Amino acid sequence: MADALTAEAVRDELGRLTDWSGSPAGISRTVELASFPAAVAVVDRVAVVAEELGHHPDIDIRWRTVTFRCVTHSVDRVTVRDLELARRIDEIIGGAR
C-alpha cells in the first residue's frame, strides 16, 4: 500500500506539474483538445499508460474537454503513484498539441 503524501508535499509537487491543482484528497487537470476525436485519442493513450502503471485516473470527457483526476483509492489520498501518473499524462497531452 502506498503512503499518502502530506499537504506540503502535494503542494510542492503540483508546482512541478503542468496545470494540475488539488490537495491531498486528489489532484486534477482539465485540458481542451482540438476536437472530440483528439480528446478520445489522448484518453486512449492515457489508458495504455495507466495499464502499464497499474494505476488508473478518473476521466471525464465532455466534447473536446477532458478532466483527469488522480487519487489512490486504497488510501483515499494522493500518493507518489498519482504524481507519476500525472507526469505521464502531461507528456501525453504535450505530444497531442
Side-chain angles (χ1 to χ4, degrees):
M1 181 181 298
D3 292 329
L5 297 176
T6 65
E8 181 180 1
V10 171
R11 186 175 51 252
D12 290 348
E13 291 297 328
L14 285 172
R16 295 181 184 97
L17 296 169
T18 304
D19 297 328
W20 287 81
S21 61
S23 70
I27 60 174
S28 64
R29 179 179 180 185
T30 299
V31 62
E32 187 172 307
L33 284 302
S35 64
F36 181 72
V40 171
V42 164
V43 170
D44 284 344
R45 288 192 293 276
V46 169
V48 170
V49 168
E51 283 295 304
E52 289 172 2
L53 296 176
H55 193 63
H56 304 86
D58 295 329
I59 302 171
D60 180 55
I61 305 171
R62 308 284 172 124
W63 184 36
R64 60 186 189 151
T65 302
V66 182
T67 299
F68 298 96
R69 184 172 188 276
C70 299
V71 63
T72 300
H73 295 290
S74 61
V75 294
D76 202 31
R77 301 309 253 182
V78 172
T79 68
V80 294
R81 297 182 78 199
D82 301 299
L83 298 172
E84 174 59 23
L85 181 55
R87 281 190 281 280
R88 299 286 299 273
I89 290 170
D90 281 350
E91 292 171 5
I92 292 166
I93 291 169
R97 293 190 155 181

